[in-house]
Amino acid sequence: MIRKIIRIDQNKCNGCGLCAKACHEGAIEMIDGKAKLTRENFCDGFGDCLPECPMNAISFEEREAPAYDEAAVKKAKGACPGMMNMFFKRAEEISDSESELQTQEIKSQLRQWPVQLKLLPVQADFYNGADILIAADCTAYAYGNFHDEFIRGRIVIIACPKLDMIDYSEKLAEIIKNNNIKSLTLVRMEVPCCGGLQRMLEKAVLISGKNLKIHTIIITRDGNKIEA
């Protein structure tokens, strides 16, 4: 099948091994002092290795390659970090004042529909003059104050690079290019696969030709916020 996969320029590779460490699927190995893509069916095409390479030796290419074999990756390496089971112990006892606050209705701050990137048009009135929030699917569940802190006053676009298995760079670029957008805020999870959404947005801004800075916020799996 023809699909997106990484390419490692052996002439540029300095053998630092950072890409192999960054590849959570185990597709890259160090052989004779050089990084090599040894298992093409382990490469998911998200490119977690790209930003780690100090020599810019890694790039994407579209070519004939075996399909990504998630089952084989799990068998060889165990579940990826984003799929690892975790349980977060929360305080079970709350004060009377906190209990009263929790019984108050929390108002939705959503201003438009649809919200899924796959369903959104590339041009719409609600984009113009808007502050745009691009959020990974899981962030709204992981971060308790998501509506008030992130959705309020913004137009929402949500996607998951791991589940959608689509490179949304071109569509995001069209949205940015065809509308008068004020700002871009990206809220993503800390898990490696979520880095794919960040790279898609960075590529989209570059393609669009717009001078827009991306404000990135990372949400940890236990619901904390990190300013990137």
Side-chain angles (χ1 to χ4, degrees):
M1 64 180 296
I2 302 294
R3 72 178 184 94
K4 184 174 72 171
I5 196 166
I6 66 159
R7 175 182 178 276
I8 304 174
D9 188 329
Q10 296 296 293
N11 293 323
K12 291 182 178 180
C13 177
N14 68 354
C16 68
L18 292 175
C19 60
K21 292 179 182 178
C23 179
H24 297 276
E25 280 71 26
I28 301 173
E29 294 183 66
M30 300 304 297
I31 300 176
D32 297 327
K34 295 282 188 176
K36 294 185 179 179
L37 178 61
T38 56
R39 291 184 280 193
E40 294 183 346
N41 62 322
F42 279 36
C43 177
D44 59 11
F46 290 137
D48 289 331
C49 52
L50 266 71
E52 299 301 322
C53 180
M55 306 304 293
N56 293 319
I58 305 175
S59 58
F60 284 120
E61 63 179 350
E62 295 270 352
R63 64 172 174 83
E64 183 71 33
Y68 172 60
D69 191 341
E70 188 173 8
V73 173
K74 289 180 183 178
K75 185 176 180 180
K77 301 282 290 183
C80 76
M83 297 175 63
M84 187 181 300
N85 290 336
M86 299 180 75
F87 178 76
F88 309 114
K89 187 175 181 180
R90 306 294 186 189
E92 295 179 358
E93 294 184 3
I94 58 175
S95 67
D96 291 339
S97 60
E98 289 174 323
S99 179
E100 184 179 345
L101 284 172
Q102 288 187 10
T103 60
Q104 295 177 3
E105 182 181 359
I106 299 173
K107 301 289 187 181
S108 172
Q109 299 298 325
L110 191 64
R111 304 173 68 193
Q112 105 283 348
W113 190 265
V115 295
Q116 285 280 358
L117 181 51
K118 189 173 184 178
L119 303 177
L120 277 161
V122 295
Q123 197 163 12
D125 289 340
F126 53 69
Y127 291 131
N128 288 312
D131 297 299
I132 303 294
L133 170 68
I134 299 95
D137 290 6
C138 298
T139 54
Y141 297 94
Y143 193 73
N145 199 35
F146 194 86
H147 270 253
D148 271 349
E149 194 163 338
F150 298 130
I151 295 182
R152 183 187 291 274
R154 294 188 176 101
I155 294 301
V156 180
I157 298 174
I158 64 173
C160 176
K162 189 73 171 181
L163 299 181
D164 294 353
M165 294 296 287
I166 297 172
D167 185 346
Y168 285 120
S169 302
E170 294 290 341
K171 185 167 186 179
L172 283 167
E174 287 298 306
I175 291 172
I176 296 168
K177 182 179 178 180
N178 293 324
N179 302 279
N180 180 28
I181 291 170
K182 286 172 58 181
S183 69
L184 295 171
T185 298
L186 171 68
V187 181
R188 50 159 290 196
M189 296 298 297
E190 63 175 332
V191 296
C193 56
C194 236
L197 185 58
Q198 183 165 350
R199 284 185 289 280
M200 287 179 203
L201 183 56
E202 290 169 350
K203 181 180 176 182
V205 172
L206 187 65
I207 295 171
S208 74
K210 295 286 187 72
N211 185 24
L212 283 171
K213 184 179 179 181
I214 303 167
H215 178 209
T216 302
I217 298 162
I218 298 173
I219 305 298
T220 64
R221 281 167 283 187
D222 60 349
N224 292 307
K225 179 179 69 172
I226 303 170
E227 295 280 348

